[in-house]
Amino acid sequence: MDGAQFRQWQALLEQRTGVCVSQQRQAYLQTSLGARMRELGIGDYQAYYEHITAGIDGALEWSALIEWLTVRETSFMRHRASYDCVAQFLAGRLSGSRGPLQLWSVGCASGEEAYSLAIIMEQALAQAGQDRRDYGIWASDISQRALDQARLGHYAAGRLGGLTGAEVEQWLQPLQGGQYRVAPALRDRVCFTRLNILELAQAPIRDLDIIFCQNLLIYFRRWRRRNLLNQLALRLAPGGMLVIGPGEIMDWNNPLLEPVADDRVQAYRRRGSMECLE
Ligand SMILES: C[S@@+](CC[C@H](N)C(=O)[O-])C[C@H]1O[C@@H](n2cnc3c(N)ncnc32)[C@H](O)[C@@H]1O
């Protein structure tokens, strides 16, 4: 792949997904494209580019290529402090009498993040002594393959990452071959849906109590991160909380939000509720 071809592919990927592949990651782009091109028997980057940018066949091929280009690394409770922060938020929320809670895992990959949120939610309900199950978790990603895995809810032991032994025992059922299956009680609460975050405006999801978006924006340019975070802020219910990965954005603030005072996490509360003013 020569320099001009790299820039062409780089621009296409960024325009369609927001993901910006730096010059240092050219080898990664080349390997991913090469793998798909071998499957198709195409030996030339230019010919493949022209195929993928033309007509309905190109559009179909683009959805297949996405599976090769996305980085879907994830695990349960990947950044535990962020989940502790959610737990603290929920404890406050559940002590008042409020309606159903809505959470959203944005860029959920194969579902570990969404199911981790469900575990935290179940623990918060148990601690509050509530037996209601009127909460829902949206989970979205651009990758269809990731969403298929997420809906299936089967995971290798290595993906259980930050779960405690007790959490594994309670929420994951062992299967043959070292795999685990997420308990139906958690699966029933999560709705997985395909969404390109660049098309956020089309998503009817709003009035969220928690928006959890980690390790997605890091692949985007800073101006786009700010822009998307501003859009996510508008999707929060008053008093709701946005949680991103630590260090994912610096020098960003939004008048609707105030930062959560906890150095271990990067989280923001939407102003506008009594709890927020406490
Ligand atoms: C590294 S994973 C992060 C998974 C999880 N949030 C975590 O922190 O463990 C990034 C995910 O973002 C998804 N992604 C990349 N570009 C996207 C876009 N434009 N819209 C929605 N999801 C996207 C990828 O498919 C991938 O599953």
Side-chain angles (χ1 to χ4, degrees):
M1 178 184 281
D2 63 29
Q5 285 172 334
F6 170 66
R7 284 189 294 281
Q8 199 177 34
W9 277 104
Q10 183 192 41
L12 185 69
L13 183 60
E14 186 170 0
Q15 182 206 337
R16 293 189 177 184
T17 69
V19 172
C20 176
V21 181
S22 64
Q23 183 85 52
Q24 292 87 321
R25 293 181 69 233
Q26 177 169 343
Y28 150 79
L29 181 63
Q30 234 169 292
T31 311
S32 309
L33 287 175
R36 179 60 184 161
M37 284 161 60
R38 264 193 305 284
E39 278 191 342
L40 297 173
I42 300 177
D44 181 72
Y45 291 110
Q46 194 60 37
Y48 187 39
Y49 182 86
E50 279 157 25
H51 170 58
I52 214 161
T53 49
I56 206 84
D57 287 349
L60 286 173
E61 176 51 26
W62 176 256
S63 16
L65 179 63
I66 281 289
E67 307 301 343
W68 292 92
L69 295 179
T70 43
V71 179
R72 301 196 292 269
E73 186 189 331
T74 187
S75 57
F76 280 82
M77 305 283 183
R78 186 168 179 183
H79 183 244
R80 187 84 207 200
S82 295
Y83 291 97
D84 292 345
C85 180
V86 172
Q88 214 176 349
F89 169 92
L90 292 175
R93 265 303 162 93
L94 293 170
S95 63
S97 60
R98 304 182 67 97
L101 286 155
Q102 286 207 93
L103 294 77
W104 186 8
S105 162
V106 187
C108 64
S110 37
E112 291 87 330
E113 185 176 277
Y115 291 129
S116 299
L117 289 171
I119 291 173
I120 294 292
M121 188 73 218
E122 291 288 337
Q123 290 171 343
L125 286 167
Q127 265 160 29
Q130 297 191 14
D131 55 10
R132 64 182 212 187
R133 288 291 172 277
D134 58 347
Y135 72 91
I137 299 179
W138 295 97
S140 61
D141 201 278
I142 198 172
S143 160
Q144 192 57 54
R145 193 173 298 168
L147 294 169
D148 291 345
Q149 288 171 352
R151 286 191 192 102
L152 185 65
H154 289 190
Y155 300 100
R159 304 301 277 272
L160 306 186
L163 293 175
T164 64
E167 285 167 342
V168 172
E169 196 158 317
Q170 185 170 8
W171 299 112
L172 287 125
Q173 302 158 349
L175 299 170
Q176 303 265 314
Q179 293 272 311
Y180 288 81
R181 175 173 51 208
V182 168
L186 298 185
R187 284 182 41 195
D188 289 351
R189 308 293 352 147
V190 186
C191 176
F192 291 100
T193 183
R194 185 154 191 251
L195 176 70
N196 181 344
I197 197 174
L198 298 193
E199 291 159 9
L200 200 53
Q202 292 170 19
I205 310 171
R206 56 190 73 249
D207 294 326
L208 279 305
D209 296 287
I210 299 278
I211 299 179
F212 203 92
C213 180
Q214 295 196 327
N215 302 300
L216 164 58
L217 300 176
I218 49 170
Y219 299 103
F220 294 4
R221 290 188 198 270
R222 274 198 283 273
W223 67 265
R224 205 190 288 279
R225 289 183 211 181
R226 280 195 281 270
N227 184 306
L228 288 168
L229 287 169
N230 287 336
Q231 291 185 55
L232 290 176
L234 290 169
R235 301 300 177 110
L236 285 172
M241 184 166 74
L242 168 67
V243 185
I244 61 175
E248 285 189 3
I249 187 111
M250 309 311 244
D251 62 39
W252 170 73
N253 51 55
N254 178 307
L256 290 176
L257 305 178
E258 62 181 350
V260 170
D262 180 342
D263 290 345
R264 301 168 309 146
V265 302
Q266 195 161 355
Y268 304 84
R269 292 283 298 266
R270 181 160 177 173
R271 299 174 204 273
S273 82
M274 290 310 288
E275 283 167 52
C276 212
L277 302 174
E278 277 165 12

